[in-house]
């Protein structure tokens, strides 16, 4: 991301860490609106390079944190799905993961890494749809406008359905679409554990891929955040996620 030393911005990893720990089973996650006051408060803190979510220990603000994550992507000047690739993505059949895989590998590395991380989390989230009532289609409805804005000159109704279908495919098929051979990876922890210990050991942390897409998850090396705030400081809103 521009203006940061991070491959994945702190606001993204911090929100997803909390949502992973306390939001996977939260009914209506991403659909139910949070408090705009709280969202603005969190946003202002991230703009200062602080992490306002570091001490979150429960789900009371979970809808606001979910709203903050959507807001971050919605306010990017260059969407996560780049505008100049809109037509190419729209030409893909919604269920064609084999076509999407080589297409996403044409994205700049900075975009690819963030996109893979986000969709790995959303894929994890929808596995709890019996509890949170958010299957891949419902989540795609909430996320498509934030990731793939439709150009003003296009038929908004027609392309709304296409963007939702595309995002749903990315959620369901993320393991087929995204190679795991470069950059930080989203890792699942505690998803099926009844106690909280697994969560405490690092739900939603960033791990580094090492070039071997067949390697087992427990062989990855953890990517440790900087304790002095150096590489972890990030502006809320970089100009673009695309390297220039």
């Amino acid at each position: 991301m521009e203006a940061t030393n991070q491959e994945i911005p702190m606001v993204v990893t911090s929100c997803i860490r909390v949502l992973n720990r306390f939001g996977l089973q939260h009914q209506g996650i991403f659909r139910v609106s949070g408090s705009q006051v709280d969202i603005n408060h969190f946003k202002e803190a991230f703009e200062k390079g602080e992490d306002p979510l570091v001490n979150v220990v429960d789900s009371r603000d979970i809808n606001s944190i979910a709203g903050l994550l959507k807001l971050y992507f919605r306010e990017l000047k260059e969407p996560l799905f780049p505008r100049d690739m809109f037509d190419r993505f729209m030409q893909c059949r919604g269920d064609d993961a084999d076509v999407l895989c080589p297409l996403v590998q044409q994205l700049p590395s900075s975009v690819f890494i963030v996109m893979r991380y986000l969709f790995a989390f959303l894929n994890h989230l929808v596995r709890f749809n019996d509890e949170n009532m958010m299957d891949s289609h419902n989540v795609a409805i909430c996320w498509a406008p934030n990731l793939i804005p439709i150009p003003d000159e296009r038929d908004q109704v027609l392309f709304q359905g296409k963007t939702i279908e595309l995002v749903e495919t990315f959620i369901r098929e993320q393991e087929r679409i995204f190679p795991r051979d470069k950059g930080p990876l989203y890792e699942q922890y505690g998803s099926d554990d009844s106690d909280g210990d697994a969560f405490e050991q690092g739900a939603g942390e960033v791990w580094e891929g090492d070039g071997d897409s067949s390697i087992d998850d427990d062989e990855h090396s953890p990517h440790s955040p900087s304790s002095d705030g150096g590489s972890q400081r990030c502006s809320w809103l970089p100009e673009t996620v695309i390297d220039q």
Side-chain angles (χ1 to χ4, degrees):
M1 302 289 276
E2 201 169 281
T4 80
N5 294 319
Q6 303 166 295
E7 291 185 277
I8 300 176
M10 180 170 63
V11 60
V12 176
T13 56
S14 184
C15 286
I16 287 179
R17 174 185 57 81
V18 175
L19 294 171
N20 190 307
R21 292 186 65 188
F22 305 113
L24 292 178
Q25 299 176 337
H26 188 80
Q27 187 168 332
I29 188 73
F30 291 123
R31 186 183 70 237
V32 177
S33 300
S35 163
Q36 193 60 51
V37 172
D38 290 340
I39 291 173
N40 290 339
H41 170 74
F42 295 146
K43 176 181 175 180
E44 290 170 4
F46 278 114
E47 286 177 334
K48 298 175 183 176
E50 303 169 356
D51 184 353
L53 310 181
V54 67
N55 294 319
V56 172
V57 295
D58 55 39
S59 64
R60 73 179 68 180
D61 295 322
I62 209 71
N63 290 324
S64 297
I65 294 168
L68 177 73
L69 185 62
K70 289 193 298 181
L71 177 66
Y72 177 79
F73 285 100
R74 184 165 66 251
E75 290 193 345
L76 288 173
K77 292 185 178 180
E78 179 65 28
L80 193 63
F81 285 76
R83 290 186 180 90
D84 62 1
M85 294 184 69
F86 179 84
D87 289 331
R88 297 174 67 185
F89 278 114
M90 291 299 98
Q91 290 168 3
C92 295
R93 286 190 9 241
D95 59 350
D96 202 343
D98 292 334
V99 173
L100 291 171
C101 179
L103 187 57
V104 299
Q105 292 185 68
Q106 297 175 35
L107 294 167
S109 177
S110 57
V111 178
F112 173 90
I113 289 170
V114 173
M115 188 182 288
R116 178 179 62 185
Y117 189 84
L118 174 65
F119 281 111
F121 163 67
L122 295 178
N123 175 274
H124 187 197
L125 176 75
V126 300
R127 298 181 190 183
F128 295 83
N129 68 84
D130 286 344
E131 292 84 11
N132 60 38
M133 308 301 291
M134 296 295 289
D135 60 18
S136 58
H137 183 70
N138 291 334
V139 173
I141 290 173
C142 296
W143 271 97
N146 304 292
L147 302 177
I148 320 176
I150 303 167
D152 292 339
E153 66 273 14
R154 301 302 176 87
D155 185 321
Q156 298 295 306
V157 175
L158 173 64
F159 281 98
Q160 181 184 45
K162 290 180 176 292
T163 58
I164 291 171
E165 183 181 15
L166 182 67
V167 170
E168 183 175 4
T169 298
F170 270 85
I171 294 171
R172 289 189 289 102
E173 303 290 347
Q174 62 87 23
E175 290 184 351
R176 292 177 56 200
I177 293 171
F178 295 102
R180 294 169 60 89
D181 59 353
K182 61 180 178 179
L185 301 170
Y186 171 83
E187 295 292 338
Q188 303 171 16
Y189 293 91
S191 57
D192 298 313
D193 296 280
S194 58
D195 57 44
D197 292 342
F199 286 117
E200 293 297 330
Q201 294 170 6
E205 285 185 354
V206 180
W207 287 51
E208 293 286 353
D210 63 359
D212 184 353
S213 60
S214 66
I215 195 168
D216 292 334
D217 288 348
D218 59 4
E219 293 179 39
H220 294 159
S221 299
H223 173 71
S224 301
S226 169
S227 59
D228 62 4
S231 66
Q232 291 299 304
R233 292 180 65 84
C234 72
S235 62
W236 161 261
L237 193 60
E239 291 292 319
T240 174
V241 296
I242 299 180
D243 293 329
Q244 299 295 331

